[in-house]
Amino acid sequence: MSDFEVFGLPVSLGTMIYQAILFTLLVLVLKKFFLKRIVNVMENRRKAIEEQLELAESYKAEAERKLFEQQELLKQAEHEAKHLVSYGRQEAAQIIKAAKKDAMLIRSEAYTNKDRKERGAS
């Protein structure tokens, strides 16, 4: 019944040739009808992946550029804030100095008026 044995299993030469012919026919049919479609689908997928990678790289570069711009704007804002605080302190010091001067002037005028009233009353 079997022509020979392989690893203790009976193998028929006719069945082996029949299966080889069927496998070859299957491969040829698949190649003729489906191989081009499969290759096209894989090529389209490869192109789509490449485009997505390029798009991701461009977004990454844009994000890095915007991050740098934001850091520069933040540094500029910090510098302006320090300048405004410094200017505000100077302005406050001038206002306090002027207020003290005005208070001293009002105080001295009040003493002068008080002295005049006391002299005029005597």
Side-chain angles (χ1 to χ4, degrees):
M1 298 200 122
S2 64
D3 295 342
F4 58 95
E5 286 188 16
V6 176
F7 300 112
L9 298 172
V11 177
S12 172
L13 188 60
T15 304
M16 184 186 292
I17 292 171
Y18 176 72
Q19 287 179 352
I21 291 170
L22 285 179
F23 180 75
T24 304
L25 287 174
L26 178 64
V27 168
L28 291 174
V29 168
L30 290 176
K31 182 178 178 183
K32 177 155 178 83
F33 293 109
F34 298 109
L35 186 63
K36 288 182 183 178
R37 291 181 189 168
I38 292 171
V39 169
N40 285 338
V41 167
M42 290 174 62
E43 184 66 24
N44 290 339
R45 182 67 182 146
R46 185 187 62 79
K47 287 179 183 177
I49 290 171
E50 284 180 358
E51 289 173 0
Q52 289 174 354
L53 287 173
E54 289 173 5
L55 186 62
E57 286 295 323
S58 68
Y59 285 157
K60 180 182 176 184
E62 183 178 346
E64 288 175 353
R65 182 181 56 81
K66 292 201 181 259
L67 176 64
F68 179 75
E69 289 176 4
Q70 290 298 320
Q71 289 173 342
E72 290 298 316
L73 287 173
L74 180 62
K75 287 178 186 176
Q76 182 180 0
E78 287 174 350
H79 177 70
E80 289 177 9
K82 287 179 183 178
H83 177 70
L84 288 174
V85 167
S86 173
Y87 178 75
R89 286 182 179 154
Q90 290 174 356
E91 188 75 21
Q94 289 176 356
I95 290 171
I96 290 172
K97 186 176 180 180
K100 285 181 180 179
K101 184 178 179 182
D102 289 344
M104 291 299 285
L105 182 62
I106 291 170
R107 187 176 177 188
S108 64
E109 286 178 4
Y111 282 128
T112 305
N113 288 340
K114 183 179 176 185
D115 286 343
R116 285 184 191 165
K117 285 183 182 179
E118 288 177 1
R119 286 184 201 158
S122 19

